[in-house]
Amino acid sequence: MTSNALREVRVVGTGLIPFGKFPDQTLAEIAWPAVREAILESGVKPKEIGGVFCGTALGGMLAGQRIMKTLGISGMPIINVENACSSSSSALSLGWLSVASGQHDVVVVVGAEKLTKFGGGTLPLEREDWEVNQGMVMPALYAMRARRYMHEYGLTETQLAEVAVKAHEHGALNPNAQIKKRVSLDEVMAARPVTEPFTLWHCCPTGDGAAAVVLASADVARRLEGKDVRIAASEVTSGLYTDHFRDMTWPELTARGARGAFEMAGIGPEDVDVAEIHDAFTIAELMYYEAFGFCGRGEAYGLLKSGATSLGGSIPVNPSGGLLSRGHPIGATGVAQAVEVTRQLEGRAGAHQVEGAKVGVTHATGGGIAGLDHGACSIHVFAR
Amino acid sequence: MTADTDLLKLINPALVEAAASGPRLLGGACRACGARSFPRAAVCTDCLSIDVETLALPSEGRLYSYSVVHQAPKGWDVPYVLGYVDLPDGLRVLAHIAAPPAAIAIDQQVRLALGVVGTDAAGAPLSTYTFVPA
């Protein structure tokens, strides 16, 4: 999308609850504290909120209304968005457009999910999908990508396990992470198998969570003061359908989205200071390094091993711990990433701060659906 | 084979038929443009024609990748092996690979078979097409 006619949009408030397991709370009870935090942090008055965009994949009907009424905020258009793991990042894109286009001056975007209501195990997928009906589960899809990548590029199971170690080194520094502990390479390797070559530590945990941002026009942001983080690109794409051969070592959907987002922001991968990408499983982090152009094809493990993507490196990826450690209540992830990157650019990420970060990227993709790489992919670029 | 498969409860009978020579996967061929599909497309994804005939697909292919699945929803006999099989006509089929993991390797030739892979809600065996090392 051309940005010529669009207004600048800034993130003026952020809210996030520590991810975890809250089976005794409703979705609204899980989510309202994040929305409240974002609104209070922004300084906008509730009556200034022109619209609400709520992303949830499995939260049920009217999730946005259920959350917002808890805070007594109602009457404005509330749009509920479902796009699997990209639900709230897609909602973020709609919220961005509504401010950029001039429809609203201030909007709230919230992502919320309660996966504990399914009682654990793999994510419930749509049984109308013929592959799901033949036994497909998300960890198996990623595991097959991993197996092929290992075959083509010589990546070993031990090397793949190092992704999990790095994720939890970061997550241990993040008070909002669902898993706040380090794991050793031996622990990763010795854990119970889920879908080989993945053990439990190769997989993001099941959990609940919520996150919210307040977006505003630059005019409103100037009045609020100290709100310097703008959305430099907002991109939503869907996978390309085929029932024929697909190169599973190359995430075409993410690569295409990244190209679009970088073009819109007028930057390249070398300009990114911090990235929160969709590491639902260990192999995903490595493949997305390549799709974003942080390294060439087949070079992802080398980049990880060099320390470049760890805190203190040249391009820290998932300083929050990512999906593997912060957690992945799927509909909440996109906005949680936006909260993380905004706080990184504002220099208030605490123990997992990326020093001097000025440009950040978020990336949420997902949906297990036959014939598509993934159902959806949403990428945002933030800058100050 | 025919007598045995009559007793099998298939997960999706539209995807496979039992012929005297063995099981055959059923895909589609568009009469308008020739595009192949699996499962048989109701509407051709290349030209939007709805004139898509059922076509028996090749019974051998190459295993593109696989995973041994230890955690799955209720009803599946875990562990099981899932893989993507590339057929000579270009179609890719997700399938159970009915072989011990040690006997499975990427790029190996596999051939079609039928097998029990789980149980239905009443506890009765559920079958589907599978692939085994050729």
Side-chain angles (χ1 to χ4, degrees):
Chain A
M1 174 174 288
T2 176
S3 57
N4 292 346
L6 297 173
R7 302 195 294 177
E8 181 177 307
V9 179
R10 295 197 196 166
V11 183
V12 298
T14 61
L16 178 72
I17 67 157
F19 286 2
K21 297 194 176 189
F22 315 112
D24 298 331
Q25 294 184 36
T26 66
L27 187 76
E29 287 168 342
I30 290 167
W32 72 254
V35 180
R36 178 177 179 271
E37 182 185 11
I39 293 171
L40 293 180
E41 187 181 286
S42 74
V44 303
K45 297 179 181 64
K47 67 176 174 16
E48 291 182 86
I49 298 167
V52 176
F53 298 85
C54 175
T56 184
L58 298 159
M61 278 191 278
L62 301 175
Q65 285 87 336
R66 278 149 49 203
I67 295 164
M68 299 308 291
K69 76 164 188 173
T70 312
L71 298 159
I73 298 172
S74 56
M76 71 288 290
I78 300 177
I79 310 291
N80 292 288
V81 181
E82 187 282 305
N83 229 357
C85 304
S86 308
S87 292
S88 69
S89 49
S90 298
L92 180 63
S93 191
L94 294 175
W96 162 79
L97 182 59
S98 77
V99 176
S101 68
Q103 181 187 24
H104 299 299
D105 289 329
V106 177
V107 301
V108 166
V109 184
V110 53
E113 205 74 75
K114 180 184 175 185
L115 295 181
T116 53
K117 72 179 179 182
F118 299 106
T122 58
L123 194 66
L125 299 180
E126 176 54 60
R127 286 300 293 240
E128 288 188 2
D129 184 275
W130 78 267
E131 286 191 343
V132 174
N133 216 18
Q134 293 292 331
M136 180 64 97
V137 289
M138 289 308 293
L141 178 64
Y142 281 93
M144 285 191 278
R145 291 174 182 160
R147 190 71 90 191
R148 187 74 202 188
Y149 186 101
M150 293 161 74
H151 175 78
E152 294 198 5
Y153 294 111
L155 181 77
T156 68
E157 290 188 24
T158 310
Q159 291 172 336
L160 184 59
E162 289 178 40
V163 176
V165 174
K166 173 255 192 192
H168 293 291
E169 280 174 1
H170 288 175
L173 303 171
N174 181 2
N176 290 320
Q178 182 170 341
I179 301 172
K180 291 184 273 285
K181 63 173 240 180
R182 290 183 169 79
V183 294
S184 69
L185 197 57
D186 288 345
E187 286 174 291
V188 177
M189 298 292 290
R192 69 174 167 86
V194 175
T195 52
E196 295 177 36
F198 297 159
T199 66
L200 191 61
W201 288 111
H202 286 256
C203 310
C204 60
T206 291
D208 310 320
V213 290
V214 180
L215 306 181
S217 65
D219 284 345
V220 172
R222 276 188 281 274
R223 186 197 84 208
L224 297 170
E225 296 182 358
K227 310 293 187 183
D228 300 324
V229 174
R230 65 186 170 87
I231 296 179
S234 177
E235 178 87 11
V236 180
T237 49
S238 68
L240 294 175
Y241 176 78
T242 181
D243 56 4
H244 285 58
F245 175 84
R246 174 192 301 282
D247 180 355
M248 290 179 74
T249 70
W250 180 242
E252 181 277 336
L253 170 58
T254 290
R256 178 159 42 92
R259 277 199 309 275
F262 285 154
E263 185 179 334
M264 184 174 176
I267 64 167
E270 65 281 1
D271 298 310
V272 178
D273 299 316
V274 57
E276 285 281 316
I277 66 177
H278 199 87
D279 60 329
F281 300 90
T282 47
I283 190 65
E285 170 139 340
L286 296 181
M287 286 174 52
Y288 295 143
Y289 290 173
E290 298 173 13
F292 274 96
F294 298 145
C295 64
R297 292 188 66 171
E299 297 173 359
Y301 174 71
L303 188 71
L304 175 83
K305 191 69 181 168
S306 76
T309 57
S310 294
L311 280 165
S314 56
I315 167 64
V317 174
N318 292 326
S320 69
L323 279 59
L324 287 171
S325 182
R326 184 193 56 232
H328 182 35
I330 56 178
T333 288
V335 174
Q337 293 172 327
V339 169
E340 170 67 23
V341 165
T342 299
R343 291 177 179 176
Q344 287 283 354
L345 301 193
E346 292 177 342
R348 53 194 184 95
H352 64 287
Q353 177 68 43
V354 176
E355 291 306 323
K358 288 188 162 62
V359 175
V361 167
T362 62
H363 164 244
T365 184
I369 168 173
L372 301 183
D373 174 352
H374 276 296
C377 176
S378 179
I379 295 171
H380 287 81
V381 177
F382 300 81
R384 70 165 167 87
Chain B
M1 175 62 85
T2 306
D4 289 344
T5 54
D6 284 345
L7 301 175
L8 293 176
K9 183 177 179 186
L10 289 165
I11 290 172
N12 187 345
L15 299 184
V16 60
E17 69 171 2
S21 56
R24 299 198 301 178
L25 277 180
L26 299 179
C30 175
R31 283 196 176 98
C33 77
R36 301 283 178 95
S37 52
F38 181 82
R40 185 182 76 84
V43 51
C44 176
T45 56
D46 281 18
C47 75
L48 300 187
S49 168
I50 55 171
D51 191 7
V52 180
E53 64 182 334
T54 299
L55 175 78
L57 301 178
S59 292
E60 288 209 10
R62 197 171 61 106
L63 183 64
Y64 178 77
S65 193
Y66 69 96
S67 173
V68 184
V69 178
H70 294 264
Q71 190 170 344
K74 201 164 170 254
W76 297 105
D77 293 338
V78 289
Y80 60 90
V81 182
L82 271 188
Y84 275 118
V85 176
D86 287 327
L87 302 180
D89 59 3
L91 290 168
R92 173 168 288 181
V93 177
L94 178 78
H96 285 253
I97 310 299
I104 298 172
I106 279 183
D107 286 341
Q108 78 181 150
Q109 286 296 119
V110 290
R111 63 176 172 81
L112 193 65
L114 289 174
V116 174
V117 292
T119 50
D120 66 14
L126 272 178
S127 299
T128 191
Y129 64 90
T130 65
F131 280 86
V132 297

